[in-house]
Amino acid sequence: MNCNNNYKDPMEVLGRSKGHSYEELIENLPRHYEFNPTLLQQIKNIPEAILRNHGSSIAKKINRMVKEVFKEAYRAEQFTRTEINNKSVLYGVVLLKHKVIDIVLKYFHKRWPNCVICLYNEYNQKTGIINEEGIIQEVKEPLQKVIDRLSKNRSISPYFEDIEFSNEEIFEALYQSQNITERENLRFFNSMIPKNCYKLPGMRKGVEKKYNNKNRKLDDFIK
Amino acid sequence: MPSTLEKIRILGSNSKYDICASTASSRTNKYPELFGKSKNWIGATTSAGICHSYTPDGRCMSLFKTLFTNKCIYSCKYCFSQSCKQKLSFTPEEYARIFMKLYSMNVVEGVFITSGVCGSADDTTEEMLEAVRLLRFKYKFQGYIHFKCLPGLSQHLLKEAISLSDRISVNSEASTASFLSEIAEQKDFKNDIITRQRWLKQIRIKHNEDVLKELKDKKKEYELKYQEKMIKEYNQNGYKKFRWDGAPILNGGQTTQFVIGAAEGETDLDLLNRIDWQYKAVDMRRAYFSAFIPLEGTPLAKRNAPPLEREHRLYQSDWLLRIYHYKLKDLKDILTEEGNLPHGDPKIHFARQYFKNHSPIDPNEASYQELLRVPGIGPISAKRIINLQKQNYRFQRRIQLKSVGVVLKRADPFLKIDGQNQMTLQNFLNDDKNILFQEGIQ
C-alpha cells in the first residue's frame, strides 16, 4: 500500500480518524431538523474514508449535522430536570430542535424502567411518552393533561411525598455545599456549562446560573 | 433538631474535599441479577457517567457526596470537620430517601458515601451499610455506589461493603507512615490503610473466582469466556492491565486519595513511589490527589497551600505510569534535586531527557513503547501507527501523522520522517552547515 505521487493518499483525508460509520450516519442524519433526503443520496456517493474523516465540504457538513444531533440529545440527558408523582409517572420539559426525543426517553426509561415517562418538548409542543414496555409515542397535548390521563388508572406508590422540601431547595443545598471557593475557576466552569445550556428548560432557573459571569452583579466582583 | 436540608449543607460541605470520579462502572447490563432477582430495579450505571452539573470550581457534580456523620474520634490536622462545630448525622433512611429524591430529579448519577468515625469504624460503617442496604434492597437502586472504607474497619463489614458497592476507596492521605503520623497521628498507616487495601484485593479476587466456578456450573458460556479472558490478561500483564472490567462485584475497583502538601517535606517522589507500589501490590485502580487547603480553625491553618500546579503534575505523572506504562525509574530521571516534579508537562521533560542520548524516531520503524515516549503521541495514535505499520503503510509526510491523531507541534522535534527531522533552534545554531548564519552572529 505504498504511496507514490500518482496515487491519492488515503491518509490525507483521515482527519483525526474520528467520525461516524455509514450506518450511524444513515440512521441519525434524518433526526436533524434541517435534514433533506437528497443528503442521504449524497452520503452513498462519498467514500467512507472521506466521510468519516471530514475529507470534503459535504462530509464536513454531514458530520457537523450528526454532531449537533448527538450533542442535543446528550445535553438533554444532562440538564433535563424531572419530577416523579405518586403514580410512578416521571415527567419533565425539554427543548429539542432535532428528532431525538426517543433517545432521551430511552435514557430515562433505563433509569426508571417501572415508571411511565413523559417529556414535553417546548420546540414542537408535543409530549413524548415511553411506557414500562419501552413503547414510545408522541402526542400533541400539554404535559399536565398527559400526566393526569396517564396517572388515572395507575396504582399509588408514594415515592417521596413526605419530603417537605422542594426539589430546587434540596439541589441548591447540595450544589452550594460542594463548591470549594478557594479553587474557583469560572473560566473552566463556563466552558463546562456554556451559555447555550441556560436556555434549556431544566437550567433556566438553575442554581448554576447564579455563578455564570454574565449573571453576576458588580457587587459580586468587588466582594 | 436540624432539618435534612441543614444536614445536606453541612455534611456536604464537610465532604467537598474528598475526590471521586463520576460513575466508573459498567456492570448493570452484564449482571442484571447481582443484587437479587427483581423486576423493579431502578437506576443504571454507565461507564463514563453523565455530569448533571458543574460547580464554580469547574468540577463535575455527578454523585451525591456527603458525610454520613461529621462526628469523628480522629483529629486529623488538615480535616475540615475539625473546624465544624455543628455535629450532625444522617439516619440511614433519611440518607437513602434524599438520594432517591435527587436521583428522580436527574441531578445525580450515584452515591459517594463517606463519613467521620463516630464511636468506632465498625459502628459507623454498620450505619453506612444500612443506608446502602436500603438503597439496594428497599429502593431497588441498581446504580453506582462508591463506598469509603473507614480506617480500622473489620473484615466482615468490608466483605459486605464489597458485595454492595461498585467502588471502594481507602484514603492513604500520605505516602509513608511517618508523613501520616505528622498530619493524622492517631491513624496507623500499616494496619488502618495498607492492611485494608490488601484485604480489598484478596476479597475481590476470591469473590470473582467463586463467581467463575458458579458460571461453570451453570454453563453460562458467554460470561465465562469473558471472565476467563480478563483473568488471563490480568495474570499476564500484572498491574499494567489491572482493569478487570468483567468483575461482577466492585467493578470500579479500589481507589485511594492523597493530601498533597499537608505533611512537611513530603516530595512527589514519595507519592510516586507509593502509588507505583499500590498499582503493583494491591490492584489499585487509580489514585486521586487533593492539594492541601489551609482551613481556619484547623492546626494547619497557617501552613502555606501548595500550588495547584503540583496536583496537576502528579495527575500527569500518574497517567504516565497507569496508562502509558512508563517505569517509575523513567520518571525519577526528570525529578528536581528535592525530589519534586519540574514545572511543565512531565512527558515533555522526559522526552527531552531521553532524546539527548537517542536519535529521533522514525514512526515507520518505531515500536509501540518507543512511540509512546514522544510527546503528542498517545496510546490511541500509537496503536493506529502500529496498525498501519502492519499493513506496510509508510508515512512520507508530516501531515500524514496528523491524520492519525498525532499533535505535530509537540511531536515534531522528536520524529524523523523519511530521514528528515524538524530542526530545533538549538540544533540549528549548533549545525556546522549554517556557517553563514553563525558568522553573522559573531
Side-chain angles (χ1 to χ4, degrees), chain B residues 94-117:
Chain B
E94 188 181 25
Y95 186 91
R97 285 182 72 72
I98 209 76
F99 166 71
M100 290 309 292
K101 175 82 175 166
L102 285 163
Y103 195 72
S104 76
M105 287 154 59
N106 197 36
V107 290
V108 288
E109 280 288 294
V111 185
F112 177 95
I113 185 164
T114 177
S115 181
V117 181

PDB file of all heavy atoms in Angstrom, chain B residues 94-117:
ATOM      1  N   GLU B  94     -33.110   8.394  56.073  1.00  0.00           N
ATOM      2  CA  GLU B  94     -33.081   9.775  55.586  1.00  0.00           C
ATOM      3  C   GLU B  94     -32.089   9.900  54.425  1.00  0.00           C
ATOM      4  O   GLU B  94     -32.382  10.512  53.393  1.00  0.00           O
ATOM      5  CB  GLU B  94     -32.643  10.650  56.765  1.00  0.00           C
ATOM      6  CG  GLU B  94     -32.719  12.137  56.555  1.00  0.00           C
ATOM      7  CD  GLU B  94     -32.232  12.887  57.803  1.00  0.00           C
ATOM      8  OE1 GLU B  94     -31.423  12.327  58.593  1.00  0.00           O
ATOM      9  OE2 GLU B  94     -32.658  14.021  57.979  1.00  0.00           O
ATOM     10  N   TYR B  95     -30.929   9.281  54.606  1.00  0.00           N
ATOM     11  CA  TYR B  95     -29.885   9.345  53.585  1.00  0.00           C
ATOM     12  C   TYR B  95     -30.368   8.704  52.278  1.00  0.00           C
ATOM     13  O   TYR B  95     -30.240   9.267  51.198  1.00  0.00           O
ATOM     14  CB  TYR B  95     -28.634   8.613  54.097  1.00  0.00           C
ATOM     15  CG  TYR B  95     -27.439   8.730  53.182  1.00  0.00           C
ATOM     16  CD1 TYR B  95     -26.523   9.757  53.332  1.00  0.00           C
ATOM     17  CD2 TYR B  95     -27.230   7.817  52.150  1.00  0.00           C
ATOM     18  CE1 TYR B  95     -25.430   9.875  52.487  1.00  0.00           C
ATOM     19  CE2 TYR B  95     -26.151   7.926  51.300  1.00  0.00           C
ATOM     20  CZ  TYR B  95     -25.251   8.957  51.476  1.00  0.00           C
ATOM     21  OH  TYR B  95     -24.184   9.070  50.626  1.00  0.00           O
ATOM     22  N   ALA B  96     -30.970   7.504  52.431  1.00  0.00           N
ATOM     23  CA  ALA B  96     -31.406   6.774  51.236  1.00  0.00           C
ATOM     24  C   ALA B  96     -32.523   7.529  50.507  1.00  0.00           C
ATOM     25  O   ALA B  96     -32.510   7.647  49.277  1.00  0.00           O
ATOM     26  CB  ALA B  96     -31.885   5.373  51.632  1.00  0.00           C
ATOM     27  N   ARG B  97     -33.454   8.078  51.274  1.00  0.00           N
ATOM     28  CA  ARG B  97     -34.589   8.756  50.639  1.00  0.00           C
ATOM     29  C   ARG B  97     -34.167  10.030  49.931  1.00  0.00           C
ATOM     30  O   ARG B  97     -34.638  10.333  48.835  1.00  0.00           O
ATOM     31  CB  ARG B  97     -35.659   9.085  51.694  1.00  0.00           C
ATOM     32  CG  ARG B  97     -36.442   7.892  52.144  1.00  0.00           C
ATOM     33  CD  ARG B  97     -37.503   8.285  53.129  1.00  0.00           C
ATOM     34  NE  ARG B  97     -38.595   9.009  52.490  1.00  0.00           N
ATOM     35  CZ  ARG B  97     -39.496   8.457  51.700  1.00  0.00           C
ATOM     36  NH1 ARG B  97     -39.429   7.175  51.419  1.00  0.00           N
ATOM     37  NH2 ARG B  97     -40.453   9.155  51.173  1.00  0.00           N
ATOM     38  N   ILE B  98     -33.286  10.768  50.587  1.00  0.00           N
ATOM     39  CA  ILE B  98     -32.885  12.042  49.975  1.00  0.00           C
ATOM     40  C   ILE B  98     -32.085  11.775  48.688  1.00  0.00           C
ATOM     41  O   ILE B  98     -32.209  12.500  47.710  1.00  0.00           O
ATOM     42  CB  ILE B  98     -32.123  12.940  50.978  1.00  0.00           C
ATOM     43  CG1 ILE B  98     -32.334  14.414  50.639  1.00  0.00           C
ATOM     44  CG2 ILE B  98     -30.638  12.691  51.057  1.00  0.00           C
ATOM     45  CD1 ILE B  98     -33.649  14.947  51.019  1.00  0.00           C
ATOM     46  N   PHE B  99     -31.319  10.698  48.716  1.00  0.00           N
ATOM     47  CA  PHE B  99     -30.607  10.352  47.477  1.00  0.00           C
ATOM     48  C   PHE B  99     -31.581   9.981  46.368  1.00  0.00           C
ATOM     49  O   PHE B  99     -31.454  10.436  45.229  1.00  0.00           O
ATOM     50  CB  PHE B  99     -29.608   9.206  47.685  1.00  0.00           C
ATOM     51  CG  PHE B  99     -29.139   8.656  46.376  1.00  0.00           C
ATOM     52  CD1 PHE B  99     -28.290   9.393  45.573  1.00  0.00           C
ATOM     53  CD2 PHE B  99     -29.621   7.446  45.893  1.00  0.00           C
ATOM     54  CE1 PHE B  99     -27.913   8.935  44.315  1.00  0.00           C
ATOM     55  CE2 PHE B  99     -29.249   6.981  44.637  1.00  0.00           C
ATOM     56  CZ  PHE B  99     -28.387   7.733  43.851  1.00  0.00           C
ATOM     57  N   MET B 100     -32.577   9.143  46.719  1.00  0.00           N
ATOM     58  CA  MET B 100     -33.527   8.719  45.688  1.00  0.00           C
ATOM     59  C   MET B 100     -34.294   9.917  45.126  1.00  0.00           C
ATOM     60  O   MET B 100     -34.618   9.967  43.945  1.00  0.00           O
ATOM     61  CB  MET B 100     -34.501   7.672  46.242  1.00  0.00           C
ATOM     62  CG  MET B 100     -33.879   6.321  46.530  1.00  0.00           C
ATOM     63  SD  MET B 100     -32.916   5.620  45.193  1.00  0.00           S
ATOM     64  CE  MET B 100     -34.158   5.279  43.974  1.00  0.00           C
ATOM     65  N   LYS B 101     -34.563  10.882  45.995  1.00  0.00           N
ATOM     66  CA  LYS B 101     -35.236  12.104  45.543  1.00  0.00           C
ATOM     67  C   LYS B 101     -34.355  12.833  44.518  1.00  0.00           C
ATOM     68  O   LYS B 101     -34.818  13.247  43.453  1.00  0.00           O
ATOM     69  CB  LYS B 101     -35.507  12.986  46.775  1.00  0.00           C
ATOM     70  CG  LYS B 101     -36.096  14.340  46.473  1.00  0.00           C
ATOM     71  CD  LYS B 101     -37.573  14.257  46.270  1.00  0.00           C
ATOM     72  CE  LYS B 101     -38.184  15.639  46.099  1.00  0.00           C
ATOM     73  NZ  LYS B 101     -39.531  15.579  45.578  1.00  0.00           N
ATOM     74  N   LEU B 102     -33.073  12.955  44.855  1.00  0.00           N
ATOM     75  CA  LEU B 102     -32.144  13.637  43.926  1.00  0.00           C
ATOM     76  C   LEU B 102     -32.017  12.860  42.613  1.00  0.00           C
ATOM     77  O   LEU B 102     -31.910  13.436  41.545  1.00  0.00           O
ATOM     78  CB  LEU B 102     -30.769  13.806  44.577  1.00  0.00           C
ATOM     79  CG  LEU B 102     -30.674  14.893  45.644  1.00  0.00           C
ATOM     80  CD1 LEU B 102     -29.445  14.698  46.502  1.00  0.00           C
ATOM     81  CD2 LEU B 102     -30.654  16.273  45.019  1.00  0.00           C
ATOM     82  N   TYR B 103     -32.031  11.530  42.740  1.00  0.00           N
ATOM     83  CA  TYR B 103     -31.908  10.702  41.538  1.00  0.00           C
ATOM     84  C   TYR B 103     -33.129  10.884  40.637  1.00  0.00           C
ATOM     85  O   TYR B 103     -33.007  10.927  39.415  1.00  0.00           O
ATOM     86  CB  TYR B 103     -31.734   9.231  41.937  1.00  0.00           C
ATOM     87  CG  TYR B 103     -31.252   8.359  40.806  1.00  0.00           C
ATOM     88  CD1 TYR B 103     -29.943   8.451  40.352  1.00  0.00           C
ATOM     89  CD2 TYR B 103     -32.102   7.451  40.184  1.00  0.00           C
ATOM     90  CE1 TYR B 103     -29.495   7.663  39.310  1.00  0.00           C
ATOM     91  CE2 TYR B 103     -31.659   6.662  39.142  1.00  0.00           C
ATOM     92  CZ  TYR B 103     -30.359   6.772  38.703  1.00  0.00           C
ATOM     93  OH  TYR B 103     -29.921   6.000  37.662  1.00  0.00           O
ATOM     94  N   SER B 104     -34.292  11.022  41.279  1.00  0.00           N
ATOM     95  CA  SER B 104     -35.514  11.209  40.471  1.00  0.00           C
ATOM     96  C   SER B 104     -35.520  12.572  39.786  1.00  0.00           C
ATOM     97  O   SER B 104     -36.187  12.772  38.786  1.00  0.00           O
ATOM     98  CB  SER B 104     -36.760  11.069  41.347  1.00  0.00           C
ATOM     99  OG  SER B 104     -36.934  12.219  42.129  1.00  0.00           O
ATOM    100  N   MET B 105     -34.738  13.515  40.333  1.00  0.00           N
ATOM    101  CA  MET B 105     -34.657  14.843  39.717  1.00  0.00           C
ATOM    102  C   MET B 105     -33.660  14.887  38.564  1.00  0.00           C
ATOM    103  O   MET B 105     -33.492  15.924  37.922  1.00  0.00           O
ATOM    104  CB  MET B 105     -34.221  15.872  40.770  1.00  0.00           C
ATOM    105  CG  MET B 105     -35.287  16.205  41.774  1.00  0.00           C
ATOM    106  SD  MET B 105     -34.558  16.774  43.329  1.00  0.00           S
ATOM    107  CE  MET B 105     -33.645  18.173  42.791  1.00  0.00           C
ATOM    108  N   ASN B 106     -32.923  13.787  38.378  1.00  0.00           N
ATOM    109  CA  ASN B 106     -31.898  13.698  37.335  1.00  0.00           C
ATOM    110  C   ASN B 106     -30.767  14.705  37.567  1.00  0.00           C
ATOM    111  O   ASN B 106     -30.282  15.350  36.652  1.00  0.00           O
ATOM    112  CB  ASN B 106     -32.508  13.918  35.944  1.00  0.00           C
ATOM    113  CG  ASN B 106     -31.601  13.441  34.835  1.00  0.00           C
ATOM    114  OD1 ASN B 106     -30.910  12.437  34.974  1.00  0.00           O
ATOM    115  ND2 ASN B 106     -31.583  14.178  33.733  1.00  0.00           N
ATOM    116  N   VAL B 107     -30.351  14.841  38.829  1.00  0.00           N
ATOM    117  CA  VAL B 107     -29.212  15.720  39.121  1.00  0.00           C
ATOM    118  C   VAL B 107     -28.000  14.941  39.621  1.00  0.00           C
ATOM    119  O   VAL B 107     -26.914  15.518  39.747  1.00  0.00           O
ATOM    120  CB  VAL B 107     -29.570  16.836  40.131  1.00  0.00           C
ATOM    121  CG1 VAL B 107     -30.501  17.844  39.532  1.00  0.00           C
ATOM    122  CG2 VAL B 107     -30.131  16.279  41.417  1.00  0.00           C
ATOM    123  N   VAL B 108     -28.171  13.674  39.933  1.00  0.00           N
ATOM    124  CA  VAL B 108     -27.016  12.856  40.325  1.00  0.00           C
ATOM    125  C   VAL B 108     -27.072  11.493  39.627  1.00  0.00           C
ATOM    126  O   VAL B 108     -28.139  11.057  39.192  1.00  0.00           O
ATOM    127  CB  VAL B 108     -26.939  12.628  41.867  1.00  0.00           C
ATOM    128  CG1 VAL B 108     -26.530  13.871  42.602  1.00  0.00           C
ATOM    129  CG2 VAL B 108     -28.243  12.079  42.404  1.00  0.00           C
ATOM    130  N   GLU B 109     -25.909  10.870  39.543  1.00  0.00           N
ATOM    131  CA  GLU B 109     -25.809   9.557  38.896  1.00  0.00           C
ATOM    132  C   GLU B 109     -25.696   8.420  39.903  1.00  0.00           C
ATOM    133  O   GLU B 109     -26.037   7.284  39.611  1.00  0.00           O
ATOM    134  CB  GLU B 109     -24.563   9.508  38.013  1.00  0.00           C
ATOM    135  CG  GLU B 109     -24.708  10.164  36.662  1.00  0.00           C
ATOM    136  CD  GLU B 109     -25.591   9.350  35.725  1.00  0.00           C
ATOM    137  OE1 GLU B 109     -25.197   8.241  35.343  1.00  0.00           O
ATOM    138  OE2 GLU B 109     -26.677   9.852  35.408  1.00  0.00           O
ATOM    139  N   GLY B 110     -25.138   8.751  41.064  1.00  0.00           N
ATOM    140  CA  GLY B 110     -24.917   7.697  42.048  1.00  0.00           C
ATOM    141  C   GLY B 110     -24.555   8.276  43.399  1.00  0.00           C
ATOM    142  O   GLY B 110     -24.707   9.475  43.638  1.00  0.00           O
ATOM    143  N   VAL B 111     -24.055   7.411  44.278  1.00  0.00           N
ATOM    144  CA  VAL B 111     -23.759   7.809  45.661  1.00  0.00           C
ATOM    145  C   VAL B 111     -22.265   7.717  45.927  1.00  0.00           C
ATOM    146  O   VAL B 111     -21.608   6.789  45.469  1.00  0.00           O
ATOM    147  CB  VAL B 111     -24.449   6.834  46.650  1.00  0.00           C
ATOM    148  CG1 VAL B 111     -24.254   7.283  48.074  1.00  0.00           C
ATOM    149  CG2 VAL B 111     -25.902   6.685  46.342  1.00  0.00           C
ATOM    150  N   PHE B 112     -21.761   8.674  46.673  1.00  0.00           N
ATOM    151  CA  PHE B 112     -20.416   8.565  47.238  1.00  0.00           C
ATOM    152  C   PHE B 112     -20.617   8.666  48.738  1.00  0.00           C
ATOM    153  O   PHE B 112     -20.891   9.739  49.263  1.00  0.00           O
ATOM    154  CB  PHE B 112     -19.547   9.720  46.725  1.00  0.00           C
ATOM    155  CG  PHE B 112     -18.154   9.753  47.284  1.00  0.00           C
ATOM    156  CD1 PHE B 112     -17.112   9.167  46.601  1.00  0.00           C
ATOM    157  CD2 PHE B 112     -17.872  10.387  48.480  1.00  0.00           C
ATOM    158  CE1 PHE B 112     -15.813   9.203  47.110  1.00  0.00           C
ATOM    159  CE2 PHE B 112     -16.587  10.424  48.995  1.00  0.00           C
ATOM    160  CZ  PHE B 112     -15.559   9.841  48.305  1.00  0.00           C
ATOM    161  N   ILE B 113     -20.522   7.553  49.435  1.00  0.00           N
ATOM    162  CA  ILE B 113     -20.841   7.574  50.866  1.00  0.00           C
ATOM    163  C   ILE B 113     -19.557   7.507  51.688  1.00  0.00           C
ATOM    164  O   ILE B 113     -18.766   6.590  51.555  1.00  0.00           O
ATOM    165  CB  ILE B 113     -21.875   6.473  51.241  1.00  0.00           C
ATOM    166  CG1 ILE B 113     -22.288   6.602  52.697  1.00  0.00           C
ATOM    167  CG2 ILE B 113     -21.412   5.073  50.917  1.00  0.00           C
ATOM    168  CD1 ILE B 113     -23.557   5.832  53.046  1.00  0.00           C
ATOM    169  N   THR B 114     -19.348   8.541  52.478  1.00  0.00           N
ATOM    170  CA  THR B 114     -18.154   8.627  53.311  1.00  0.00           C
ATOM    171  C   THR B 114     -18.589   9.143  54.681  1.00  0.00           C
ATOM    172  O   THR B 114     -19.730   9.545  54.855  1.00  0.00           O
ATOM    173  CB  THR B 114     -17.095   9.519  52.652  1.00  0.00           C
ATOM    174  OG1 THR B 114     -15.979   9.636  53.526  1.00  0.00           O
ATOM    175  CG2 THR B 114     -17.607  10.910  52.336  1.00  0.00           C
ATOM    176  N   SER B 115     -17.674   9.125  55.635  1.00  0.00           N
ATOM    177  CA  SER B 115     -18.105   9.521  56.974  1.00  0.00           C
ATOM    178  C   SER B 115     -16.921   9.810  57.884  1.00  0.00           C
ATOM    179  O   SER B 115     -15.795   9.348  57.637  1.00  0.00           O
ATOM    180  CB  SER B 115     -18.931   8.378  57.585  1.00  0.00           C
ATOM    181  OG  SER B 115     -19.373   8.739  58.856  1.00  0.00           O
ATOM    182  N   GLY B 116     -17.203  10.541  58.957  1.00  0.00           N
ATOM    183  CA  GLY B 116     -16.278  10.616  60.070  1.00  0.00           C
ATOM    184  C   GLY B 116     -16.441   9.324  60.866  1.00  0.00           C
ATOM    185  O   GLY B 116     -17.363   8.553  60.620  1.00  0.00           O
ATOM    186  N   VAL B 117     -15.523   9.086  61.805  1.00  0.00           N
ATOM    187  CA  VAL B 117     -15.618   7.843  62.577  1.00  0.00           C
ATOM    188  C   VAL B 117     -16.252   8.166  63.931  1.00  0.00           C
ATOM    189  O   VAL B 117     -15.620   8.783  64.781  1.00  0.00           O
ATOM    190  CB  VAL B 117     -14.233   7.187  62.756  1.00  0.00           C
ATOM    191  CG1 VAL B 117     -14.355   5.886  63.538  1.00  0.00           C
ATOM    192  CG2 VAL B 117     -13.595   6.943  61.411  1.00  0.00           C
TER     193      VAL B 117
END
